[in-house]
Structure formats: C-alpha cells, structure tokens
Amino acid sequence: MSANRRARRSDPADTRFVIPTERVDERDTLFARMARRPGTPAYDDTYARRPELRAGDDRLRALPPLGAPGGRYYDAERSAEADRLFASIPGLRPDPDEVQRLGRALRAARDPETVLRRAALDLGAVAAGCAPVDPAFVYSHRGRHDEDYGRPLEPDLPHALVFLVEMDFEAMRQAPSAPTIVESARQYVRAARISTTLAAALEAAGHAARSQRDAHYEVLLPPLAVRAGLGELGRNNILVADRFGSR
C-alpha cells in the first residue's frame, strides 16, 4: 500500500467504509439471537421479525457453546476459569480513591481529553482516543438480555473515549482452544475495569457517562474506534490496530 493511500485510509475523518447507513438493532445481532431460548417472549419476537434466521439459528443453538462440556476444545479447569472471569464483570466496582483522584484531575484540567487518554493508559490500555458518537453507531434497541429486550436506545451522549487492551499473541495463536478463551476473558475483565473506573471518574467530575463493557454495549465499537484514530476496519468487521492487529 502506498504511503499516500495508507494515510487516507488511516485518517479518522475518512469514515466512508465504516459508518453504517442506518442504526443497527441489537436484537438482530448473532450474540443476541444466540441468547434467545425457545418458549420465551423474546425468542418468539425475534423470529416473528426475522423468520428466515430461525432454522439456522436453532442449528447453532443446539451445538455445545465454545468451551462447554461436549465441545471439541473443552478443558474443565480453563473453561471454569474463563466462566469465573466473565461472571465477575457485572460486579466490578472501581476503586473509590482512584475515582476521586481522577475526578479532581478532570475538573482541574484545561484539556480533559488528554487526562482521560492518559488515565486509560495508566490503567492498562495500550492505546486510547476520543471521538464524536455518530448516531448511526448507537443501537436502535437493546437485544442481548431478556430483562431489557426491545428497549429503545437514544444517542444521548455525544462523545466517547475509546481504548484498546491487548490480548496475548501466543494465546491468540492457539485459537479457538481453551488458553485463548481464558486470555480473552482476562482482557474483557481488564477493559471492563478501565471503562467502569473512567465512567465513574467522569461522573465525579460532573459529567454524564456510561461504561460500555462485555455484553452491555449500546454502541458499535469498531467504527467508533476507527473514528477515534485507533485503526482500520478489517474485512471481518473487527478493528485492525497498528502493532496489535485484531488482538
């Protein structure tokens, strides 16, 4: 790729290839559809709206989940560790002293975006950037969990801090085996801890903020990360980041 073309494709302002033309309904995403259980109102609604997906989804749903008993890559010890890590995410609480320290720094800062990016790196991120939230990046409706299935979402927060955490190269080379699943879980926990801490710090500084973390996303993260200058969108619809690839 030529230097000029690389610069154009890497320019966060050049988002021709990544901005959706309309908002995505989370209920239609594969993760949300795989969370549906036959006989529930959410299942019935999903396939009343998308009947063409039901047969294929039911075949997938009948397979053992990745890392579960019966699956090719099941490892009792490592699978249990990954399950424990993922299960810990909803209960994560930021350190109150850290929140207050960052809150004070944000209130006093002449350039709060720089303070936020530095804080993300200090907490364990490997890259961070800020970006406006295009309304097309916000899901139109919730869909991952039965308790808020179908709830409309509004693009009410105009700015985002986006950061990357790195998954270990050697562990990722073993995908989709158990070590990869454990490493993925570790970094989802790390990302959730960072986002929870920074959202709390922003609130302590007087701003409205919400943490985006595993299975609780209101936004499409890859195009938002591109807008923040953190990489390009790969053909697999995953962010491809400088030095870290899709890890």
Side-chain angles (χ1 to χ4, degrees), residues 102-121 128-131 159-162 198 201-203 205-207:
L102 288 174
R104 288 192 298 271
L106 287 167
R107 285 194 298 271
R110 301 179 67 178
D111 182 5
E113 286 190 2
T114 297
V115 173
L116 273 176
R117 289 195 298 268
R118 173 50 58 188
L121 298 176
C130 295
H159 302 287
L161 169 75
V162 191
L198 295 179
L202 281 164
E203 291 181 331
H207 303 284

Side-chain angles (χ1 to χ4, degrees), residues 22-35:
E22 59 186 29
R23 291 172 67 191
V24 175
D25 190 328
E26 191 186 25
R27 292 174 295 184
D28 292 335
T29 65
L30 185 60
F31 275 118
R33 291 177 359 238
M34 288 301 100

Side-chain angles (χ1 to χ4, degrees), residues 107-193:
R107 285 194 298 271
R110 301 179 67 178
D111 182 5
E113 286 190 2
T114 297
V115 173
L116 273 176
R117 289 195 298 268
R118 173 50 58 188
L121 298 176
D122 289 344
L123 289 168
V126 294
C130 295
V133 180
D134 190 299
F137 296 168
V138 182
Y139 285 121
S140 64
H141 296 79
R142 287 281 200 180
R144 189 71 178 267
H145 304 285
D146 283 355
E147 57 265 28
D148 58 3
Y149 176 90
R151 179 168 67 81
L153 290 169
E154 295 300 328
D156 58 340
L157 295 181
H159 302 287
L161 169 75
V162 191
F163 61 85
L164 309 181
V165 297
E166 180 186 10
M167 295 184 185
D168 179 75
F169 180 78
E170 290 302 325
M172 290 300 106
R173 289 184 66 185
Q174 300 178 60
S177 64
T180 303
I181 300 171
V182 173
E183 174 62 11
S184 175
R186 288 187 184 125
Q187 301 313 324
Y188 272 101
V189 171
R190 183 192 300 271
R193 185 175 291 112

